Amino acid sequence: MTARRPAPPLTPAAPLTPAPPLTPAPPLTPAEAADAIERVLAAGLDPEDCPPRTGLPVPAGELLLMPAASAAHAGVKIAGVAPANPARGLPRITGSYLLLDGPTLQPLALYDGAALTALRTPAVTAVALRRLAVPQAAHLVLFGSGPQAYGHLDALLAIRPLTRVTVVARSAGPAEALVRYARERGPAAATGTPEAVAEADVVVCCTTARTPLFDGALVPAHAAVAAVGSHEPDAREVDTALVRRSELYVEARAAARREAGDLLLAGPAAGSPHNLAELVNGKAPVPADRPRFFKSVGQAWEDLAVAAEMYRRGGGTA
């Protein structure tokens, strides 16, 4: 009987190295981020071809993986959505964004993923509302009081002559803080109720709501509405009445069919919306006789466009 050879000794594991430090992002306004997004759409990017978001349920919430690539750059965002974090005094959205060189796939920068999301989401909304909000839009009704509400306020102030802001939020303290922030930037601001949409020029929903926030029949025909709070097929911030009345726009129809609960839960009323590339390139109608509703779920190509612009401004090559 042949003797069994002893197993080779285990190779000592290499010591763990600390995670690379986050690259400080150069200052980039929502309007500048919106310009970066518009440039890639004008250059021919088709949002329908963007890889889908991968979501993995984990004990604390959800882990998201969002890759994208262009000839010049590639990148991936790993984000966590932890619903219990705000009660702990921590951000609900966490994560990192790794930017790579396109031709070689060598790492270029590691950015704060939550900060990138807080910048690119209002920028995407600004791209849409530059075309959907009436030029003289003065009254913004803003649902929510978290980071996205602040980012959207700044983005809308950059593209429309807002003179009045109504904040609708569940918690009085955060709502009043956002009102003070708005007043510091010029507009008259106050807290209000959902019925304020009846006097709105622009309505933006930045909440974690799972059921409609207001009666869509109240929204004036000249108003533009954007909803950005959810990428879940069973959650929505607007009702079927608004969807039925409105001209509809999304980042990509393919993504909306997977994730846009605001449209999916409206059933046949949602029809076939226009995508963001069609809107930017003048191929989508923008009627004046009914509301225009933009539903955003967030896509990886948007993160890549903004991250590449941050890298370019920080001294890298575009």
Side-chain angles (χ1 to χ4, degrees), residues 200-216:
D201 300 314
V202 181
V203 179
V204 176
C205 306
C206 311
T207 77
T208 58
R210 305 193 70 81
T211 56
L213 297 165
F214 56 89
D215 180 356

Side-chain angles (χ1 to χ4, degrees), residues 222-247:
H222 76 274
V225 181
V228 308
S230 169
H231 63 268
E232 299 174 71
D234 58 350
R236 59 176 170 174
E237 296 174 290
V238 307
D239 62 10
T240 301
L242 179 71
V243 172
R244 184 176 290 119
R245 294 179 57 213
S246 300
E247 194 75 19

Side-chain angles (χ1 to χ4, degrees), residues 130-180:
R130 277 173 172 171
R131 292 157 177 82
L132 301 180
V134 293
Q136 69 274 21
H139 182 200
L140 167 65
V141 176
L142 185 56
F143 286 84
S145 57
Q148 284 295 339
Y150 283 81
H152 277 80
L153 175 59
D154 288 338
L156 269 292
L157 285 170
I159 65 168
R160 286 297 183 269
L162 301 179
T163 59
R164 180 184 174 194
V165 176
T166 301
V167 175
V168 185
R170 290 179 299 180
S171 302
E176 289 292 348
L178 181 54
V179 165
R180 291 192 295 272

Side-chain angles (χ1 to χ4, degrees), residues 105-135:
L105 298 183
Q106 292 296 300
L108 297 176
L110 184 65
Y111 293 120
D112 183 323
L116 178 61
T117 302
L119 174 62
R120 68 88 157 131
T121 305
V124 172
T125 302
V127 169
L129 293 186
R130 277 173 172 171
R131 292 157 177 82
L132 301 180
V134 293

